[in-house]
Amino acid sequence: MEKVVLVTGANSGIGLALCERLLTTDSRLRLCLACRNMQRAEAARSALLTSHSTARVDLLHLDVGSVQSVLTAAQEVKARYNRIDFLYLNAGIMPNPQIDVKAFFKGLFSRNVIDMFATAEGLLTQQDRLNSDGLQEVFATNLFGHFLLIRELEPLLCRAAHASRIVWTSSSNARRSAFSIEDVQHANGTEPYSSSKYASDMLSLALNRHKNSQGLFSSVICPGLVMTNLTYGILPSFFWTLIMPIMWLIRIFTNTFTLTPYNGAEALSLWIREQSITV
């Protein structure tokens, strides 16, 4: 039976690489690319069909940072499909990342250099803002929009005698120290990305506690350090040119330096690969 797979943030980076891996594993999938920018989504769909000409690839307009967009998209999904086998929650933002240059150079010549590159702990801060719904933008996009999508799609995800799986794209930057239950939107902090990723990890645990009995299972996957548009936005392009040889050298000593989106998407695609093997 055809599996229905929905991927948010699927038009570039890890999301697009994940879709390529999924279709390579099983070309019979019904794949839905849920994206904010439909022009880029069309380009992603064309690229996927170039290498997988018989694949079924649908497009869905979805801005997880907008409550109304999520509600509208969920209604469209329920009209199109009668179930969802895999829901990949990959869309995310890290707006205006700033780097503490002093901390960077201090860490660069310390014994913690690998850990510094892998987690960016203490290096990155972001300037968050309120969105049109009155929510903190990072919280709304990385966490709340996905939570709302799950709730709206429960009729397709929680079905008797049918197991569905949610897979979150998490991060090594998801740290308890950045999260506060008294400030879940991280309105008063400077690390909203870390806070949102930690909160999504906790939400995944809560979903398993409350929804496993209904056939819904949730997992979080860290793709490692991947060079995407989000990553490249942290530093000027010339700086990345200078340090990329160092990054590839460090990759020899740690498997968390996946570097390319295709490498980073491997762990996310394992669930479907395992099912394909057992079927």
Side-chain angles (χ1 to χ4, degrees):
M1 184 178 294
E2 171 185 77
K3 294 184 179 68
V4 178
V5 182
L6 191 152
V7 182
T8 70
N11 59 271
S12 63
I14 293 173
L16 180 56
L18 169 63
C19 292
E20 174 65 33
R21 280 190 174 274
L22 295 179
L23 291 177
T24 299
T25 299
D26 188 351
S27 61
R28 297 167 299 174
L29 296 175
R30 180 75 176 270
L31 186 60
C32 180
L33 313 186
C35 307
R36 179 176 56 182
N37 187 314
M38 294 309 291
Q39 185 175 358
R40 293 180 181 178
E42 287 282 2
R45 181 178 184 273
S46 296
L48 291 171
L49 291 177
T50 297
S51 53
H52 305 278
S53 58
T54 62
R56 301 186 66 184
V57 182
D58 303 329
L59 299 181
L60 174 72
H61 181 252
L62 170 64
D63 178 359
V64 287
S66 164
V67 168
Q68 187 55 58
S69 179
V70 172
L71 295 177
T72 301
Q75 289 301 316
E76 187 170 342
V77 170
K78 287 185 281 190
R80 288 186 193 179
Y81 312 114
N82 59 13
R83 76 181 202 280
I84 294 178
D85 295 279
F86 288 85
L87 175 58
Y88 283 92
L89 304 177
N90 171 73
I93 59 171
M94 183 194 291
N96 305 313
Q98 304 288 321
I99 188 166
D100 185 332
V101 177
K102 182 178 179 179
F104 174 79
F105 281 105
K106 182 179 179 181
L108 190 62
F109 299 102
S110 73
R111 67 179 62 181
N112 297 322
V113 60
I114 293 178
D115 186 62
M116 180 189 72
F117 275 112
T119 67
E121 184 171 358
L123 290 181
L124 297 180
T125 61
Q126 303 97 51
Q127 297 175 350
D128 203 0
R129 62 182 180 180
L130 292 177
N131 67 7
S132 59
D133 295 315
L135 300 171
Q136 293 296 136
E137 188 176 37
V138 177
F139 167 82
T141 304
N142 295 2
L143 179 70
F144 184 74
H146 282 139
F147 171 70
L148 182 59
L149 182 66
I150 294 168
R151 292 302 302 268
E152 289 295 309
L153 296 183
E154 277 190 17
L156 305 186
L157 293 167
C158 301
R159 303 182 64 201
H162 173 74
S164 297
R165 186 174 291 278
I166 295 172
V167 182
W168 301 76
T169 300
S170 186
S171 171
S172 58
N173 215 237
R175 301 194 312 278
R176 173 67 181 87
S177 60
F179 178 78
S180 171
I181 194 64
E182 286 77 30
D183 183 21
V184 293
Q185 294 193 47
H186 205 75
N188 301 315
T190 59
E191 298 181 87
Y193 181 81
S194 296
S195 175
S196 68
K197 289 300 182 179
Y198 181 84
S200 65
D201 290 357
M202 295 302 100
L203 179 55
S204 180
L205 290 173
L207 285 170
N208 284 325
R209 179 176 298 176
H210 295 286
K211 297 298 181 181
N212 280 180
S213 61
Q214 299 176 45
L216 178 62
F217 301 86
S218 180
S219 303
V220 295
I221 304 292
C222 174
L225 178 63
V226 177
M227 305 308 295
T228 65
N229 291 337
L230 186 151
T231 314
Y232 282 120
I234 297 173
L235 293 167
S237 57
F238 77 88
F239 198 86
W240 287 118
T241 302
L242 292 175
I243 68 171
M244 279 308 295
I246 299 175
M247 306 283 276
W248 283 102
L249 180 63
I250 293 175
R251 176 171 163 74
I252 298 174
F253 302 100
T254 173
N255 57 9
T256 61
F257 274 48
T258 50
L259 297 185
T260 69
Y262 191 77
N263 288 342
E266 181 175 9
L268 282 81
S269 66
L270 287 178
W271 299 112
I272 284 185
R273 184 186 305 173
E274 289 178 358
Q275 284 209 358
S276 300
I277 292 173
T278 56
V279 169

